[in-house]
Amino acid sequence: MRDDPLIRALGFLGLRGRPTIAALALGVGGSLSALFLAALSAWLITRAWQMPPVLYLSVAITAVRALGISRGVFRYLERLATHDLALQSMATARQRVYTALASGSPGYSVTLRRGELLNRTGDDVDEIGNALIRGLIPIGIGATTSVAAVVVMALVSVPAAVVLALALVVSGGVAPWLAARGGARAIRDGAQAASEATEAATTTLWHASELVVARRRHRALAAAAEADSRHLDATDRGIRWQASAASATPLALGASLIAACVTAIELASSTTGSLAGVSSGEGLTPMILGVLVLLPLSAFESTAPLTEAGLQIERSRQSAARVMALVDGANPDGANPDGAHSDVTDAEIHRSPVHLTATDLRWGHPGREILGPETGVDLDLRPGSRLIVTGPSGTGKSTLLLTLAGLLPPVAGEVAGTDAGDGSEVELRSAACYFAEEAHIFSTTVRENLRVARGDVTDAELGTALAAVGLERWAATLPDGLDTVLAGGADAISGGQRRRLLLARALLHPAPVVLLDEPTEHLDEADADQLLRRLLGVERDLFGPDRTVVVVTHQPPADTGAAQVLELAGRQSSSGRA
């Protein structure tokens, strides 16, 4: 039971006892009000038919009005309570997921696709919250109301109560279970298709200009449309299962009403008085007939939503499995996502020059294709070295950078860093800074976006870095200078400005090994060539003689100076040793 991903995920919601009980109690109050309203209304209608004095009915009339009002009030308050509980819980769950990702292994986080991450922290967490609103609380309300209905029915007729209990079990238990079991595959296929549709849509949006230039936009749009179509097909299959299971409720209700009528006939046959009069024995009275017929109608109101609740529990369970896989992947050692995880902080960065070496190195993501030449790659990068990594897409250039940064373990061979001064071994993650191609620009000020690299940086250092990467004029035009907020993050600046801003971060970072993934993307050919020459130290070296720089690029400059070149297309060449 503890291995159930939904049980684990519910622990992430941070549910508190009092709000949960309050939401459930309000729902039960509304449902019981409806149940007793039906029973009392049946009694009142049939009793009034006998035309007793009006004062005799005044208490029942007042009670009917009170129950009718309380039903609406309870249901309104229950909606407020459950939604408030769910929203707070989902916020807590997202906070804990983000904490787990931030405090866990960075080698896992940086390899996640954006669409996959958006789905798991967005829709999947919402589905876990929906387990409360549309699953667990309705189940609790339905179970409580069903027990109360059977008890009331038993006071009238034990056989009718037995039939009602069986019918409620079918409507509120068997039908939801079958719906969830039958719809599990449709839910799983729909979630997979939705994830692929999101990934295709985000790729199309974030890389629109590149896709247009490469004349591949129609392929991306077709992939998004096809994934969306599969999502709709899976949704339709799930609705068919839901509709089939939902048919059990009217069938069970019909069976219960037939049983009530049969019970009424049996009682009528044993009645010594007339139906219009008062029974002299335990036979049928108008009040009993009314309760037998109207009580099941109200009782099934609480079980009718449980078919959807069963499907929601299955949807939430599958979403919980994906979210828990995300958390477990970030914390493979089982670290508590709520607690501090030992990680490389700014204070622990190794700042002195490092000698980076690799021997017979091959790399790749766990469980995926092994990358690099079969004989492995050898690297000897002393302080001040420059290395260009080039090759077609899909050859593992970015994955190599992750391995050199210590974010992914080598598949074969080894990579190590030693202090250039005393020769002591240095942890790669403390000595290298990896700047991804899709590194994030935050929706905050220019200053804070640069302070991500180093928290104690001064305004003078910020200005120097911006000038070095060619953003000095742009910074001078900002309305509030470095305090200008980049509303929308990367959407507030052009692609070229984004690349330069990320490069300024790399300049400010104190790590001695700098790993840059496509630092000149979105720049025109002349600017890209000039910037690459500066990165490689051919002219006006940006990073100086003590820092090692590794650059991934599709188009290296014609003159690479003394930089080593590693081509990931089956052959290697270098000016030095690579």
Side-chain angles (χ1 to χ4, degrees):
M1 191 68 175
R2 291 182 179 179
D3 294 333
D4 190 312
L6 184 56
I7 300 297
R8 292 185 59 201
L10 289 176
F12 256 55
L13 296 179
L15 295 175
R16 293 172 295 167
R18 182 175 297 178
T20 305
I21 293 173
L24 181 60
L26 288 170
V28 170
S31 188
L32 290 180
S33 293
L35 181 68
F36 291 130
L37 177 62
L40 186 57
S41 297
W43 182 89
L44 181 61
I45 292 171
T46 53
R47 189 69 181 92
W49 172 49
Q50 298 174 348
M51 294 182 292
V54 175
L55 291 177
Y56 185 81
L57 303 176
S58 59
V59 175
I61 293 171
T62 303
V64 167
R65 290 177 178 174
L67 289 172
I69 294 172
S70 65
R71 179 181 62 172
V73 171
F74 275 129
R75 287 183 175 176
Y76 176 71
L77 294 177
E78 182 259 332
R79 295 295 188 276
L80 293 179
T82 53
H83 282 77
D84 180 65
L85 176 65
L87 290 174
Q88 290 184 6
S89 300
M90 286 187 287
T92 301
R94 284 195 175 91
Q95 177 186 356
R96 293 181 175 181
V97 171
Y98 295 150
T99 300
L101 291 174
S103 62
S105 169
Y108 176 75
S109 302
V110 297
T111 58
L112 294 172
R113 296 180 300 175
R114 284 195 175 187
E116 180 182 22
L117 192 59
L118 283 174
N119 272 333
R120 295 191 184 187
T121 59
D123 292 344
D124 283 340
V125 174
D126 286 345
E127 289 295 346
I128 296 173
N130 285 337
L132 280 176
I133 300 176
R134 301 176 182 174
L136 298 179
I137 289 180
I139 289 173
I141 294 172
T144 305
T145 306
S146 297
V147 171
V150 172
V151 170
V152 173
M153 184 66 83
L155 297 176
V156 178
S157 171
V158 173
V162 172
V163 174
L164 177 61
L166 293 175
L168 289 172
V169 168
V170 171
S171 174
V174 177
W177 180 78
L178 290 176
R181 187 177 180 87
R185 180 176 178 181
I187 294 171
R188 183 171 55 254
D189 293 345
Q192 177 65 28
S195 178
E196 294 175 3
T198 301
E199 181 65 26
T202 52
T203 299
T204 305
L205 290 172
W206 289 330
H207 300 283
S209 56
E210 297 98 312
L211 291 171
V212 170
V213 171
R215 297 182 179 180
R216 295 176 58 186
R217 186 177 64 172
H218 66 284
R219 296 183 187 176
L221 292 174
E226 195 230 341
D228 191 55
S229 176
R230 285 189 284 110
H231 179 218
L232 291 175
D233 290 341
T235 301
D236 289 341
R237 292 200 306 272
I239 290 176
R240 286 195 291 270
W241 273 103
Q242 181 180 351
S244 300
S247 65
T249 294
L251 292 175
L253 174 58
S256 181
L257 289 176
I258 291 174
C261 292
V262 171
T263 301
I265 293 172
E266 291 178 353
L267 288 174
S269 65
S270 64
T271 300
T272 58
S274 118
L275 188 61
V278 178
S279 172
S280 60
E282 294 185 353
L284 184 68
T285 66
M287 287 74 75
I288 292 178
L289 177 62
V291 172
L292 286 173
V293 173
L294 291 184
L295 187 64
L297 294 175
S298 179
F300 281 92
E301 285 185 10
S302 63
T303 61
L306 297 190
T307 297
E308 168 59 27
L311 287 170
Q312 181 60 59
I313 291 296
E314 181 60 32
R315 283 194 293 267
S316 298
R317 178 175 286 108
Q318 293 190 18
S319 294
R322 291 188 290 270
V323 172
M324 289 298 100
L326 187 70
V327 172
D328 293 340
N331 297 275
D333 56 353
N336 182 3
D338 291 330
H341 186 79
S342 61
D343 203 350
V344 178
T345 64
D346 184 65
E348 296 171 331
I349 293 176
H350 185 90
R351 297 170 182 254
S352 59
V354 168
H355 181 196
L356 183 66
T357 59
T359 306
D360 299 328
L361 178 65
R362 300 194 70 192
W363 57 92
H365 293 286
R368 302 185 191 176
E369 179 185 2
I370 298 176
L371 302 170
E374 292 185 3
T375 56
V377 169
D378 294 335
L379 295 174
D380 185 10
L381 301 176
R382 298 183 179 277
S385 297
R386 301 293 185 265
L387 172 66
I388 301 173
V389 181
T390 186
S393 297
T395 53
K397 300 184 296 296
S398 299
T399 310
L400 172 60
L401 292 190
L402 292 173
T403 306
L404 294 178
L407 300 177
L408 282 177
V411 174
E414 61 180 16
V415 57
T418 56
D419 189 286
D422 58 19
S424 60
E425 185 176 353
V426 177
E427 184 181 4
L428 291 176
R429 283 176 55 189
S430 68
C433 56
Y434 167 65
F435 291 86
E437 180 181 0
E438 298 293 342
H440 193 67
I441 299 295
F442 297 91
S443 185
T444 184
T445 64
V446 175
R447 177 184 286 104
E448 293 303 319
N449 265 289
L450 293 173
R451 289 184 65 194
V452 169
R454 203 177 88 224
D456 61 351
V457 66
T458 65
D459 284 359
E461 290 173 317
L462 292 177
T464 300
L466 290 172
V469 298
L471 287 179
E472 185 176 20
R473 292 185 180 179
W474 170 76
T477 63
L478 296 175
D480 297 319
L482 296 178
D483 292 321
T484 301
V485 175
L486 301 179
D491 293 336
I493 54 180
S494 69
Q497 290 169 340
R498 178 174 177 272
R499 298 310 304 173
R500 292 179 187 272
L501 194 63
L502 294 174
L503 190 55
R505 277 187 192 168
L507 286 174
L508 295 169
H509 200 284
V513 179
V514 182
L515 308 171
L516 304 172
D517 196 351
E518 296 289 353
T520 58
E521 186 183 19
H522 299 298
L523 299 179
D524 61 51
E525 185 177 354
D527 285 346
D529 188 78
Q530 181 184 28
L531 190 56
L532 279 173
R533 289 167 61 85
R534 296 192 62 192
L535 291 175
L536 299 175
V538 177
E539 59 182 50
R540 294 187 299 161
D541 193 348
L542 275 177
F543 285 94
D546 293 330
R547 301 183 75 181
T548 301
V549 180
V550 180
V551 179
V552 164
T553 180
H554 283 94
Q555 296 180 336
D559 181 10
T560 59
Q564 302 177 29
V565 179
L566 174 63
E567 296 183 6
L568 298 180
R571 62 185 181 87
Q572 304 173 42
S573 65
S574 67
S575 301
R577 178 175 179 265

